[in-house]
Amino acid sequence: MSPQPAKYTIRLPIFEGPFDLLFHLIKKEELDIWEISIASVAEQYLAYLQSMQELNLDIASEFLVMAATLLRLKSKLLLPRPVDPGEEEEEELFQFKSPEELFARLEEYRLFKEAAGFFKERAAEQRKVFLRATGGKEKYMLLSGRQQQKSYYTYWEGAHLLSEIMNRFEAAAAARALAPAIDLFEDIPIGERSAHICALLKRSGGALSFRSLLLKKNLREVLVTLIALLDLARRRQVRLLQERPLGPILVAPSQKGA
Amino acid sequence: MSEINLKAIIEAILFLSEEPVRVKKIASRTGISIEKAEALLGELQQDLIEQGRGLRIFEVAGGYQMGSAPELAPYLEEAVGEEESGQLSNAALETLAIIAYRQPLTRLEIEEIRGVRCEYILDNLLKRKLIRISGRKESPGRPLIYKTTPDFLQYFGLKDLRELPPLE
């Protein structure tokens, strides 16, 4: 990170999130997290967002939510306390009832940010060491035969792939409430996907892995791709190959089609 | 079997393995005690350094693993290629740090600490096998919980999680 004064440079440091920015602002003041006043932090924070806006930078929603949170905390200090402490706290990213709570969280964030520095150093150190380990990469799998396969490659690749895909959806399921629902009545662009696969094959000049083609972000994408692949194979526009029994499946262009 | 032979066998086992090998496994394969295996591994580590060899034996992820000597990196980088993984972003490192110290925990718990949504980063870390889903939390919505993997230890050259420095 480069805590340069924003005056002379258009390139603003990239922050990993609102906490990162707040942390930066506090550090710039050379103050302890616990000494800072919420009013001044809020002002600086808003000024920063303003300069981002002037430069036409995209501001992630979290930054705006934090701006609102800071303003709320600041206004709480200015206004007389309500008789009934409002309980209508909404489900949101930053639920701080007091500046102290916010600062406590910033402090916690600082710990992990610094720990991340440790990991960065270790990773750099570790990158100097090259291992024989192939990390289960398929290209090596084909060369190294049966002997040193990672255990999950001893299962049928399809089963592994399926579990991999399902795991992704499980992970996504946690966030389902945030994701837009799939419109089941939408047209399914199989033809479009088929053309895309053919183009990919042409560009690669060889075979592509079935697995990599199917590793899509959402279920709909996976289904469309799978159907497109099967349809292409049925019409003999691609060939599905397997180098050895139970091995990875490859998608290759058909001989006549090429 | 003489000691030279035993050391040679251990060297070959480590050379052939793609993953860190546990001392227990080395001991049982060579039919010696764990203490003896550890002593021989220590000697082997020493031999490689003293003889100025290109390989080293590292203690990572609860086992021993052979790799190239770090000082040779400038000569090897080009041949091996960095494409392997690409470096982790600061955001990914932050997320990993949180998981490493607080595991097992949910995505929401991570996001509360970072103040940013982490879905995409978690996806990437899962794909790189640096973290894994270890189950569900018994709380409303039964959210998934995440943990670090042995690959994580390997990536950062750590013996085990106890090697993490205290948070401060």
Side-chain angles (χ1 to χ4, degrees):
Chain A
M1 223 176 52
S2 56
Q4 295 296 316
K7 265 187 205 165
Y8 304 107
T9 164
I10 296 186
R11 184 170 301 151
L12 299 171
I14 295 163
F15 293 103
E16 303 296 341
F19 282 149
D20 199 17
L21 171 54
L22 278 174
F23 188 64
H24 166 81
L25 294 173
I26 291 170
K27 226 165 77 180
K28 218 167 63 179
E29 296 285 288
E30 293 182 1
L31 281 173
D32 190 78
I33 285 179
W34 300 101
E35 289 171 33
I36 204 101
S37 96
I38 188 73
S40 84
V41 173
E43 260 157 48
Q44 288 185 47
Y45 187 90
L46 291 174
Y48 193 89
L49 285 198
Q50 178 99 44
S51 63
M52 278 171 87
Q53 243 156 4
E54 276 161 19
L55 293 168
N56 283 326
L57 297 176
D58 277 341
I59 301 176
S61 61
E62 289 101 354
F63 284 90
L64 299 174
V65 176
M66 177 59 87
T69 306
L70 288 171
L71 285 177
R72 196 185 63 212
L73 289 177
K74 188 181 160 191
S75 65
K76 260 193 180 170
L77 293 180
L78 300 174
L79 297 168
R81 281 168 199 278
V83 190
D84 171 33
E87 290 138 33
E88 22 61 75
E89 286 294 338
E90 267 182 58
E91 184 71 31
E92 60 178 45
L93 206 47
F94 310 112
Q95 297 179 39
F96 308 118
K97 294 201 178 63
S98 67
E100 287 69 35
E101 261 182 50
L102 167 63
F103 293 146
R105 284 277 293 282
L106 267 176
E107 177 65 19
E108 188 184 32
Y109 173 74
R110 183 185 68 81
L111 293 179
F112 288 109
K113 195 175 158 58
E114 274 162 22
F118 163 80
F119 286 115
K120 192 173 196 157
E121 277 168 34
R122 290 301 294 242
E125 236 1 82
Q126 209 48 29
R127 260 198 302 280
K128 293 187 193 153
V129 175
F130 295 98
L131 303 172
R132 240 180 71 78
T134 60
K137 284 246 163 132
E138 285 138 297
K139 59 178 171 182
Y140 295 101
M141 299 306 308
L142 289 174
L143 298 176
S144 63
R146 284 158 280 139
Q147 215 77 62
Q148 284 111 16
Q149 293 176 15
K150 277 202 170 186
S151 57
Y152 49 73
Y153 278 104
T154 58
Y155 299 111
W156 182 46
E157 202 210 17
H160 173 63
L161 175 56
L162 180 63
S163 74
E164 204 173 311
I165 289 171
M166 293 321 285
N167 277 338
R168 292 164 63 88
F169 292 132
E170 260 194 313
R176 187 142 301 158
L178 302 166
I182 299 171
D183 184 359
L184 288 173
F185 301 103
E186 225 176 297
D187 281 337
I188 298 177
I190 303 287
E192 217 177 285
R193 182 55 48 88
S194 305
H196 179 63
I197 293 169
C198 288
L200 279 179
L201 276 175
K202 202 160 202 174
R203 208 180 323 144
S204 79
L208 294 169
S209 109
F210 187 70
R211 177 173 166 279
S212 69
L213 283 172
L214 278 185
L215 284 179
K216 300 287 180 196
K217 276 262 175 309
N218 64 53
L219 185 56
R220 187 171 175 278
E221 289 272 283
V222 174
L223 291 177
V224 172
T225 309
L226 180 63
I227 295 168
L229 275 172
L230 293 177
D231 191 50
L232 282 171
R234 184 182 63 86
R235 289 187 281 128
R236 293 176 198 258
Q237 288 180 358
V238 302
R239 289 173 300 149
L240 298 177
L241 305 171
Q242 214 169 13
E243 303 248 15
R244 57 184 163 78
L246 312 186
I249 300 166
L250 298 172
V251 181
S254 69
Q255 273 131 337
K256 62 174 164 78
Chain B
M1 230 179 283
S2 76
E3 298 218 341
I4 293 172
N5 269 337
L6 277 172
K7 260 202 270 184
I9 293 170
I10 294 174
E11 189 176 19
I13 290 174
L14 292 179
F15 171 73
L16 285 173
S17 175
E18 291 194 358
E19 279 162 17
V21 188
R22 291 186 181 277
V23 194
K24 231 168 98 184
K25 198 165 174 187
I26 293 173
S28 75
R29 284 228 199 139
T30 46
I32 55 177
S33 70
I34 287 178
E35 292 74 31
K36 178 90 185 167
E38 264 169 358
L40 289 176
L41 278 160
E43 278 179 39
L44 206 48
Q45 276 176 322
Q46 217 41 46
D47 291 350
L48 290 175
I49 293 168
E50 277 166 16
Q51 295 164 17
R53 302 260 292 275
L55 298 173
R56 294 281 182 276
I57 293 170
F58 304 93
E59 243 185 297
V60 285
Y64 289 82
Q65 186 164 29
M66 196 173 258
S68 66
E71 62 268 25
L72 301 180
Y75 306 94
L76 303 175
E77 263 151 13
E78 216 173 311
V80 180
E82 183 67 37
E83 54 88 34
E84 172 72 24
S85 49
Q87 297 182 18
L88 291 172
S89 68
N90 284 337
L93 286 166
E94 258 177 48
T95 309
L96 260 182
I98 294 168
I99 300 173
Y101 282 96
R102 290 282 162 86
Q103 60 185 318
L105 80 175
T106 68
R107 178 172 59 84
L108 212 68
E109 286 164 336
I110 300 167
E111 288 175 349
E112 263 169 23
I113 295 174
R114 289 199 63 228
V116 196
R117 301 208 191 289
C118 304
E119 222 179 320
Y120 175 73
I121 291 172
L122 285 178
D123 228 42
N124 256 330
L125 293 175
L126 278 173
K127 213 153 66 184
R128 292 175 74 148
K129 299 198 161 63
L130 293 172
I131 57 168
R132 66 188 178 85
I133 294 164
S134 71
R136 287 176 182 279
K137 191 173 176 171
E138 291 308 328
S139 65
R142 303 190 70 233
L144 296 168
I145 45 180
Y146 300 91
K147 257 186 170 176
T148 56
T149 61
D151 282 17
F152 159 83
L153 292 174
Q154 201 172 323
Y155 188 91
F156 294 103
L158 297 166
K159 263 187 256 182
D160 55 45
L161 288 170
R162 277 169 304 188
E163 244 197 306
L164 294 177
L167 268 187
E168 210 306 302

